[in-house]
Amino acid sequence: MQEIYRIKDFKNAYKILGVYDKNIEIIKSYFDCKIVVKDNIIKSNAKEEIKEILEDVFYKMDVLSSKTILNEREVIYLIKLREAHKLNGVVDFFTLRKPILTKWDGKNVYPKTFTQEEYIKTIEKEEIIFGVGPAGTGKTYLAVAMAVSYLKQNKVKKLILTRPAVEAGEYLGFLPGDLKEKIDPYLRPLYDALYDFLGVETTNKLLETKVIEIAPLAYMRGKTLENAFIILDEAQNTSAIQMKMFLTRLGFSSKMVITGDPSQTDLQQGRTSGLKQAISILKNIHNIKTIEFMRLDVVRNPLVQKILERYDEHGNL
């Protein structure tokens, strides 16, 4: 075991170590190594290249300890930034970022990564925004957060949330119930996000009064959506025709956010994804911007990361 870092201000040590040393446990799990803390000295048996990473991470945590308390997700993000050599500006990011909105339970919602912060700023600035990248990067969740924020500030009068009802190996006709009961499972992530921000009671009232509409993409045909915040989720599953139809629904004083992962589509083989095509043909148009999320923005439990890495080693089954 070699010394890798000395905590400069011991009274802030608990902020670095975490409650019941939870931050240390997260770091140990991430790198699969031993870490021992005695007084203000941190030692580890990690490989030399890992020790350099740990030294930089603990230094940033030490600096941040006088300004804020990092949670486990933020500690992992700090590690991933160091691995990608992108630690510049991280102290300002964690200490100066502003909340997107306050949820019904009083908790604030903040951007969790640099890309998320760029995404929020782009939504504020542009009219049509494409948020693309892997699952778990917060594309849809943050879009809904911004939509709710705009509604609360009276910047829009309506929220429109939609998804294409494309099934991975299933057919709606085989499912029990009426159309709403068949469609709702596909729209459930949108309901869940609204419940998280507004609470169940408020969300249901706004749904009843049509201030918020959640519907499959096909229901958008023939509408002109003015003074509204419109979100199209899972857009990789739209056809080229559907995407054109959706984009041309944009009315005055409205904003559109289109989210999806171009690398994952449930469309039948040979069909062109409307998301891929739209990103390609609409680039360099004023007030249309694409934000690309990376694997770096997926901040998960270290065990989940190890599972993903192992699947990647075996051909991403």
Side-chain angles (χ1 to χ4, degrees):
M1 302 281 277
Q2 293 183 354
E3 179 181 327
I4 57 172
Y5 191 76
R6 290 193 176 215
I7 300 171
K8 292 178 173 54
D9 190 346
F10 189 66
K11 71 175 185 293
N12 287 326
Y14 74 96
K15 296 181 182 179
I16 298 171
L17 306 181
V19 178
Y20 298 116
D21 292 346
K22 189 63 177 178
N23 289 347
I24 295 297
E25 293 301 318
I26 285 289
I27 296 170
K28 286 164 60 177
S29 176
Y30 189 96
F31 289 111
D32 195 18
C33 67
K34 292 181 180 179
I35 296 176
V36 174
V37 182
K38 186 173 182 181
D39 297 326
N40 68 327
I41 299 174
I42 301 175
K43 295 183 179 181
S44 177
N45 69 342
K47 296 177 182 177
E48 205 59 41
E49 61 270 21
I50 301 300
K51 287 178 183 176
E52 292 179 8
I53 295 174
L54 289 173
E55 182 180 357
D56 289 344
V57 168
F58 280 121
Y59 171 72
K60 290 297 184 183
M61 291 174 71
D62 203 352
V63 172
L64 283 162
S65 68
S66 64
K67 305 173 185 290
T68 187
I69 300 177
L70 297 181
N71 60 35
E72 296 153 40
R73 178 188 295 271
E74 291 165 341
V75 170
I76 294 172
Y77 183 54
L78 199 61
I79 294 169
K80 295 179 77 171
L81 285 173
R82 171 56 183 82
E83 288 180 321
H85 304 286
K86 293 183 178 181
L87 276 176
N88 288 343
V90 72
V91 173
D92 285 345
F93 170 71
F94 280 126
T95 56
L96 301 179
R97 57 184 172 167
K98 297 178 181 178
I100 301 166
L101 84 163
T102 301
K103 298 194 290 186
W104 70 277
D105 60 3
K107 295 179 181 178
N108 287 328
V109 178
Y110 292 91
K112 293 181 172 65
T113 70
F114 285 125
T115 310
Q116 287 190 0
E117 186 173 52
E118 182 187 6
Y119 185 48
I120 295 304
K121 290 179 178 178
T122 303
I123 290 174
E124 290 174 338
K125 182 180 178 182
E126 310 294 353
E127 288 186 60
I128 297 178
I129 304 90
F130 291 92
V132 298
T137 51
K139 305 181 299 293
T140 302
Y141 189 79
L142 291 176
V144 177
M146 287 297 290
V148 171
S149 175
Y150 267 57
L151 186 65
K152 285 185 171 183
Q153 296 176 65
N154 295 315
K155 291 182 178 180
V156 295
K157 292 183 179 179
K158 293 188 68 171
L159 304 188
I160 311 291
L161 291 77
T162 184
R163 294 178 108 186
V166 175
E167 316 88 354
E170 297 287 345
Y171 292 94
L172 288 175
F174 294 148
L175 298 175
D178 58 21
L179 181 60
K180 183 179 185 304
E181 291 170 326
K182 292 173 188 284
I183 291 295
D184 270 0
Y186 296 95
L187 305 175
R188 178 51 51 188
L190 301 176
Y191 283 103
D192 290 343
L194 287 170
Y195 291 153
D196 196 27
F197 296 130
L198 293 168
V200 175
E201 186 176 344
T202 300
T203 299
N204 288 338
K205 284 182 180 178
L206 293 173
L207 288 166
E208 289 172 8
T209 56
K210 301 297 183 182
V211 173
I212 299 177
E213 291 186 34
I214 303 179
L217 181 58
Y219 282 47
M220 298 297 106
R221 188 175 299 278
K223 293 185 177 183
T224 299
L225 305 171
E226 298 200 350
N227 208 351
F229 196 117
I230 311 119
I231 298 173
L232 170 58
D233 189 31
E234 298 290 347
Q236 75 275 2
N237 288 332
T238 61
S239 66
I241 293 173
Q242 285 176 320
M243 180 59 77
K244 180 181 178 182
M245 177 274 291
F246 174 78
L247 291 170
T248 54
R249 300 308 96 198
L250 182 68
F252 290 103
S253 301
S254 289
K255 190 177 294 287
M256 279 184 169
V257 180
I258 299 100
T259 68
D261 181 358
S263 69
Q264 301 289 332
T265 176
D266 294 323
L267 292 172
Q268 293 179 350
Q269 192 170 3
R271 295 188 68 187
T272 301
S273 167
L275 177 61
K276 285 185 179 180
Q277 185 191 65
I279 291 171
S280 175
I281 67 177
L282 299 179
K283 61 185 177 182
N284 300 325
I285 294 180
H286 183 60
N287 285 337
I288 299 179
K289 184 75 179 286
T290 298
I291 299 298
E292 295 186 26
F293 291 84
M294 304 299 178
R295 194 79 172 261
L296 176 64
D297 298 296
V298 182
V299 182
R300 291 184 170 131
N301 183 304
L303 186 58
V304 174
Q305 177 160 322
K306 287 182 172 59
I307 293 170
L308 290 173
E309 289 171 355
R310 189 60 59 88
Y311 269 95
D312 286 344
E313 291 172 7
H314 287 74
N316 200 19
L317 302 175

